[in-house]
Amino acid sequence: GYVAQRMLAARDERSSALAVLLFNVLHYTVRPWPWILTALASMIHFAGDAAVRADPESGYVRMMTDVLPPGWRGLLVTAMLAAYMSTVSTQLNWGASYLINDVYRPYLRPRASDRHYVAASRAASILIMLLGGLVALRLGQVTAALDLLLSIGAGTGLVLILRWYWWRVNAWSEISSMVAAAAVSMWLRYGVGPAGVGLGDSPRDAQLFFAWSMVVTTAIVTLVWLLVTWLTPPADRETLVAFYRRTRPGRRGWRPIAALAPEVNVTARPAVALGQWALGCAAVYASLFGIGRLLFGAPVSGALLLALALACAWGLRATMREA
């Protein structure tokens, strides 16, 4: 959703696609390396520290307190607080928007005043903040929160992608996938647990159980949302036709709807779109590993990988210009 907001703020479709490509390069190429280098430095600096070995996550904070001078330490703390507040404000506003615009306004109070909806959105923001704080206290560790988010989202990615390529996907498809993912993942996490599948309490067993639960959750969620999709009616034709005219997703998965809008000119061919996707992925990964090779003293292979990334980006831009 937050990526879509940035896309909609761009000048045109081409600028939007290039902006998303730049975002992914910065997100996956530039941002991880300070973290990686800090982690490697902490492994060397605290090699004989039993406390860091027992809790590796504390190495990042210990590097701040033990290595950075006061000025840089204060700057980093300020940057971390700013990043934290930007994420919290985004999630609060986003969550309140979902609750008010998608649930409360259309189904509970459809004819209230704007003043009422503003007050309701403020109450929803406070409610989400309180629930988030309770969940954070329950989890205790950042990694536990990440594992939980990955678990309750397992299997939903396919329906979120196919909604652009298959006209039959509807709102119930997405709702059922999210509900099924949360229910199955919570049952596996707290009802079954590693002991239920013959695993122990070691960190390695916990990782094996997490991987196993992700596979099981994805399989069940996929089956659920496919069944729900076929058992529930599709969105109304007017909505589907308007969506097709606006997004022009291609005719292959939208043939019944495309027949109702023959004036829509879909210029992008599936083979070209697939090639653009491959070029974008290659550009991101080549730049990621290229920078890594340069940082670790392999300039030749690093330069070759960065050259490959630039070539992929140029090819992507050229195909977009032709399309």
Side-chain angles (χ1 to χ4, degrees):
Y2 65 89
V3 177
Q5 292 175 358
R6 275 64 172 179
M7 294 173 67
L8 294 173
R11 180 178 57 186
D12 50 36
E13 293 183 18
R14 180 171 171 274
S15 299
S16 174
L18 291 175
V20 172
L21 177 60
L22 177 61
F23 164 77
N24 280 280
V25 170
L26 295 176
H27 183 72
Y28 292 106
T29 299
V30 177
R31 191 170 72 162
W33 280 111
W35 298 342
I36 297 172
L37 294 177
T38 303
L40 293 175
S42 69
M43 293 173 64
I44 299 173
H45 188 71
F46 300 113
D49 194 314
V52 175
R53 287 203 306 269
D55 184 14
E57 293 182 19
S58 65
Y60 191 84
V61 178
R62 289 284 301 276
M63 288 292 288
M64 292 172 51
T65 58
D66 293 7
V67 177
L68 287 180
W72 285 105
R73 193 184 310 163
L75 180 62
L76 183 57
V77 170
T78 303
M80 293 177 66
L81 289 175
Y84 175 77
M85 288 305 301
S86 69
T87 301
V88 169
S89 62
T90 297
Q91 299 302 322
L92 289 178
N93 292 333
W94 197 11
S97 174
Y98 274 133
L99 290 178
I100 300 303
N101 295 325
D102 296 340
V103 178
Y104 184 79
R105 184 169 187 168
Y107 299 109
L108 300 179
R109 293 291 299 273
R111 288 180 292 274
S113 64
D114 291 340
R115 182 184 295 273
H116 175 81
Y117 292 130
V118 171
S121 66
R122 292 172 178 169
S125 298
I126 296 174
L127 176 62
I128 295 173
M129 181 179 65
L130 293 176
L131 292 176
L134 293 176
V135 171
L137 290 174
R138 172 69 177 175
L139 294 175
Q141 290 185 335
V142 175
T143 52
L146 179 60
D147 290 345
L148 178 62
L149 290 175
L150 291 175
S151 299
I152 64 177
T156 61
L158 185 60
V159 66
L160 296 178
I161 294 174
L162 285 182
R163 64 181 176 179
W164 298 94
Y165 299 99
W166 186 25
W167 71 277
R168 194 61 179 75
V169 175
N170 56 31
W172 290 113
S173 306
E174 300 185 33
I175 293 174
S176 63
S177 68
M178 291 186 287
V179 172
V184 174
S185 62
M186 291 297 99
W187 172 67
L188 291 174
R189 184 184 183 95
Y190 298 107
V192 178
V197 293
L199 297 174
D201 298 330
S202 66
R204 184 176 183 275
D205 288 337
Q207 293 176 356
L208 289 175
F209 176 76
F210 176 73
W212 175 85
S213 63
M214 290 285 287
V215 173
V216 173
T217 303
T218 300
I220 296 176
V221 169
T222 301
L223 179 62
V224 167
W225 77 258
L226 283 174
L227 289 175
V228 170
T229 299
W230 288 114
L231 293 176
T232 56
D236 62 87
R237 291 301 175 97
E238 293 183 0
T239 300
L240 291 172
V241 171
F243 178 84
Y244 178 79
R245 284 172 174 159
R246 179 179 292 272
T247 60
R248 304 188 302 279
R251 297 180 181 276
R252 179 163 300 181
W254 287 78
R255 294 189 187 279
I257 308 303
L260 302 177
E263 77 282 358
V264 177
N265 182 23
V266 180
T267 57
R269 293 170 293 177
V272 174
L274 184 62
Q276 292 174 338
W277 168 79
L279 287 172
C281 291
V284 171
Y285 280 106
S287 59
L288 171 64
F289 294 114
I291 292 178
R293 298 299 291 175
L294 291 177
L295 291 174
F296 290 108
V300 176
S301 58
L304 290 175
L305 287 171
L306 290 179
L308 176 61
L310 291 175
C312 291
W314 179 86
L316 178 60
R317 184 175 182 181
T319 56
M320 291 175 59
R321 187 185 299 113
E322 292 175 0

